[in-house]
Amino acid sequence: MQQLDALTREAVSLAGGARRVIPILTAKETEVGRQMQICNSCRYCEGFCAVFPAMTRRLEFGKADIHFLANLCHNCGACLHACQYAPPHEFAVNVPKAMAEVRGQTYVDYAWPPALGTLYQRNGLTLSVALAAALALFLIMAVAAQGTLWNAKLGGNFYRLFPHNLLVGMFAPVFGFAALALAMGVRRFWRDITPATSGAALSGPAAAEATDTVLRLKYLGGGHGEGCNNEDDAFSLARRRFHHFTFYGFMLCFLATSVATLYHYALGWTAPYELPSLPKLLGVAGGVSLLVGTAGLWRLNRQRHPLHGDLAQKPMDLGFIALLFFTSASGLALWLGRSTPALALLLCLHLGAVMALFATLPYGKFAHGIFRTASLLRHATEKRQPSPVGLADD
């Protein structure tokens, strides 16, 4: 037995002269395995979400299986409130809590570069430092360029303060690194869970099903379409709806930036753009949607029942929600105040928020969407294969 770090320990056994490496489970992973064994005997919650049909295809739960199942879980809470073995029962089955703890471990284990995985564990501090540093950078640059943050003579055109090519040169590398870090992490995760999920290649129908599931946030419906449990055992679709506002608001803002990039480089139409231009329509709609979604998610997160198990991730959750809210609010304020003396200050606040968001994307709550999508793709692939234990999926 080798004694290694808790997240990477491995047991090495010799059988017939062959060297076989067996991953050792952490305490959190072992607890998920224990609860899945109990759930596999009961199966009352089999129709609630993707976790339980996937569970029935397994008699044992290795490290890859557990991380796959943990990232399938949407923490809707339905199984907790339906479970006859939930605390204070001696079995103490609390699937949402156990899965949430392993998901947090997933983000750390699969972070790239690996040394930066610890940022997940200090996420609140990371967000604060990134935001403060980014704001300071742009405020200093603005003062150096104009000598003032108020009543600068910009004529409503913020490119007079920060030229287009300067902004591209600053933001493109940060965004590129974030995309690369997320891609490298989820690539390792995919490679590890593929053998544990039938090993079959992703097909078109499986990809279409998983995409539909992601875009509709199907598993925030509690398995019956009535929604999640939040502060008590009452069902509500609020969490699903506010997630939709947030997700689609973010995508609309990203699309607005993409269209503006096309306008600038392909068509030669330079910013700033005004209504009813497509970039402005998309950006305003996305900003308002983000404001509504993040405000709603903040309220729901603060009311969340502690047994749902996401207490350890609450600083990460609230930090990401606040940063998204600040990004959208500052963007809308910049648009509304573009003809006022506050333009330079509003621009610095918005650019600082966006820079902090880009810099922390790979090491914050944003990662949950990437790993969950990968798990849903593998689930849609696995369910199309014969069950290894002789039971057909629903």
Side-chain angles (χ1 to χ4, degrees):
M1 181 78 68
Q2 293 179 316
Q3 300 298 320
L4 302 177
D5 183 83
L7 296 179
T8 58
R9 289 177 299 174
E10 295 176 332
V12 179
S13 65
L14 298 176
R19 186 176 185 273
R20 189 161 61 99
V21 179
I22 308 172
I24 289 183
L25 302 184
T26 64
K28 295 174 182 178
E29 293 165 344
T30 300
E31 178 59 17
V32 169
R34 181 190 74 87
Q35 294 193 26
M36 288 293 96
Q37 294 288 1
I38 296 172
C39 293
N40 229 343
S41 300
C42 174
R43 301 195 178 184
Y44 179 81
C45 299
E46 192 170 345
F48 281 10
C49 72
V51 169
F52 297 99
M55 172 198 72
T56 64
R57 300 176 63 95
R58 291 159 171 80
L59 299 178
E60 296 180 345
F61 299 91
K63 184 181 283 281
D65 300 288
I66 289 169
H67 282 266
F68 162 64
L69 293 173
N71 284 277
L72 275 185
C73 174
H74 287 57
N75 206 287
C76 76
C79 60
L80 172 65
H81 292 278
C83 183
Q84 60 185 319
Y85 303 119
H89 191 280
E90 62 179 326
F91 287 176
V93 173
N94 185 339
V95 173
K97 180 178 185 294
M99 295 296 192
E101 291 179 348
V102 170
R103 277 197 304 280
Q105 182 180 321
T106 298
Y107 307 151
V108 175
D109 288 0
Y110 289 96
W112 187 91
L116 296 183
T118 56
L119 294 179
Y120 282 107
Q121 299 166 336
R122 299 191 296 268
N123 196 259
L125 177 62
T126 302
L127 285 172
S128 300
V129 171
L131 180 57
L135 286 176
L137 170 65
F138 285 106
L139 290 172
I140 292 170
M141 290 174 61
V143 171
Q146 289 288 330
T148 180
L149 284 173
W150 194 264
N151 203 27
K153 298 178 180 179
L154 302 177
N157 185 354
F158 52 77
Y159 283 142
R160 292 181 179 177
L161 181 60
F162 297 124
H164 178 271
N165 289 340
L166 173 64
L167 293 180
V168 171
M170 293 177 65
F171 280 91
V174 177
F175 180 76
F177 174 79
L180 175 63
L182 286 167
M184 293 295 289
V186 81
R187 176 176 173 268
R188 285 183 52 225
F189 178 70
W190 182 273
R191 184 185 62 200
D192 286 352
I193 68 172
T194 293
T197 52
S198 80
L202 180 65
S203 66
E209 178 187 324
T211 300
D212 175 73
T213 299
V214 170
L215 295 180
R216 290 194 298 115
L217 291 173
K218 173 181 175 181
Y219 294 118
L220 288 182
H224 38 61
E226 297 178 24
C228 294
N229 304 108
N230 198 58
E231 65 270 25
D232 51 35
D233 59 358
F235 297 116
S236 171
L237 287 169
R239 191 158 168 255
R240 183 180 186 178
R241 288 166 178 162
F242 286 128
H243 267 88
H244 272 136
F245 274 114
T246 302
F247 174 74
Y248 286 108
F250 182 88
M251 294 307 296
L252 284 172
C253 291
F254 183 79
L255 186 58
T257 302
S258 300
V259 172
T261 301
L262 178 65
Y263 278 11
H264 184 90
Y265 289 105
L267 302 178
W269 300 347
T270 58
Y273 307 106
E274 298 295 336
L275 289 173
S277 67
L278 187 56
K280 190 61 65 179
L281 288 171
L282 293 169
V284 170
V288 172
S289 182
L290 260 180
L291 279 181
V292 173
T294 51
L297 288 177
W298 178 279
R299 179 177 63 83
L300 291 175
N301 193 285
R302 300 289 293 178
Q303 298 172 347
R304 195 98 166 119
H305 195 292
L307 278 180
H308 288 172
D310 43 11
L311 184 62
Q313 294 186 25
K314 191 175 286 287
M316 185 194 321
D317 294 348
L318 292 177
F320 182 57
I321 291 170
L323 188 53
L324 282 177
F325 181 89
F326 186 39
T327 299
S328 59
S330 61
L332 290 171
L334 175 62
W335 172 57
L336 294 173
R338 64 196 181 283
S339 299
T340 71
L343 173 60
L345 177 60
L346 292 173
L347 177 61
C348 290
L349 292 175
H350 181 59
L351 293 179
V354 174
M355 179 66 82
L357 178 65
F358 282 7
T360 56
L361 279 182
Y363 312 109
K365 187 62 175 181
F366 183 83
H368 85 285
I370 307 298
F371 286 99
R372 182 163 290 154
T373 298
S375 290
L376 286 168
L377 285 166
R378 288 310 310 168
H379 173 62
T381 300
E382 177 185 60
K383 67 187 292 187
R384 285 169 165 77
Q385 308 305 313
S387 172
V389 297
L391 298 175
D393 291 328
D394 292 338

